[in-house]
Amino acid sequence: MGITQFLFFAMMIGACCYAMARGGAPERLTAAALTGALAMTMTLAHFRPSIRGAYSSIEVGVALTDLTLFLGIVAIALASARRWPIAMASMMGCGLFAHLAKQIGPDILPRAYYIAVGVWSYPELILLGVATWRHRVRKMRYGVDHAWIWQLPKRYRNGWLVDDRTQPLSQR
């Protein structure tokens, strides 16, 4: 096991355990999705092994796992009252484009394809850790941190600010 794999697994265990123990519902769902995707990637990574070696052609199992994880994070982003799932979905989309780039340009070096797919995992895990920490800060400061858009107060969803005396925000 190389240093990058050790670093990844340490970050994955740390971020996902922290999110499961201290995070809100979106953080816990994302941690579960990331853990499931890691398990699927480890089992399906070489679903169709290439004669020339790993990542010499498009990795179908990894691409399907990444696509499924991307769709799950997009669903969380659409329902969540938080902004960080949008950033995480964007990072996952960049990883998906690496699979598309390998399909379009099969002459891409296997190591470059491997790095382009995997490099986005590190900022995603950092983002999950920071999002969990920010959830804890909001929960301690305000006593509540609404996880989903339907849990937000109706006045807030209708455009009113937190202060009741102010007028609704312009809908332009």
Side-chain angles (χ1 to χ4, degrees):
M1 178 184 291
I3 187 73
T4 56
Q5 290 174 336
F6 177 77
L7 179 65
F8 171 75
F9 283 117
M11 288 177 65
M12 180 77 173
I13 291 168
C16 289
C17 287
Y18 182 54
M20 288 298 241
R22 302 285 184 189
E27 291 85 8
R28 289 192 310 268
L29 277 174
T30 301
L34 288 173
T35 305
L38 176 64
M40 290 303 293
T41 298
M42 291 177 74
T43 58
L44 296 178
H46 305 292
F47 178 68
R48 186 184 54 94
S50 175
I51 296 170
R52 296 180 294 178
Y55 292 93
S56 60
S57 62
I58 189 166
E59 292 288 335
V60 177
V62 176
L64 290 175
T65 302
D66 288 349
L67 179 63
T68 304
L69 181 61
F70 172 74
L71 294 175
I73 298 300
V74 167
I76 291 171
L78 290 174
S80 176
R82 310 214 169 98
R83 293 187 181 110
W84 66 265
I86 298 169
M88 185 171 282
S90 300
M91 290 181 213
M92 289 180 182
C94 292
L96 282 174
F97 277 122
H99 295 294
L100 181 65
K102 184 64 175 179
Q103 184 67 29
I104 293 171
D107 57 337
I108 294 174
L109 294 173
R111 184 77 176 154
Y113 174 42
Y114 173 75
I115 291 170
V117 168
V119 74
W120 292 102
S121 301
Y122 298 97
E124 290 168 7
L125 294 174
I126 292 169
L127 180 62
L128 180 61
V130 170
T132 304
W133 175 72
R134 290 288 303 140
H135 163 73
R136 299 298 298 167
V137 168
R138 285 189 303 270
K139 186 114 173 156
M140 288 187 322
R141 181 178 294 164
Y142 303 115
V144 66
D145 187 24
H146 300 291
W148 309 109
I149 53 175
W150 57 83
Q151 292 175 335
L152 293 171
K154 187 166 178 64
R155 291 174 61 88
Y156 185 79
R157 285 183 281 154
N158 289 337
W160 287 79
L161 297 175
V162 176
D163 185 6
D164 291 335
R165 295 174 299 215
T166 57
Q167 294 296 316
L169 298 171
S170 173
Q171 298 298 320
R172 291 188 259 167

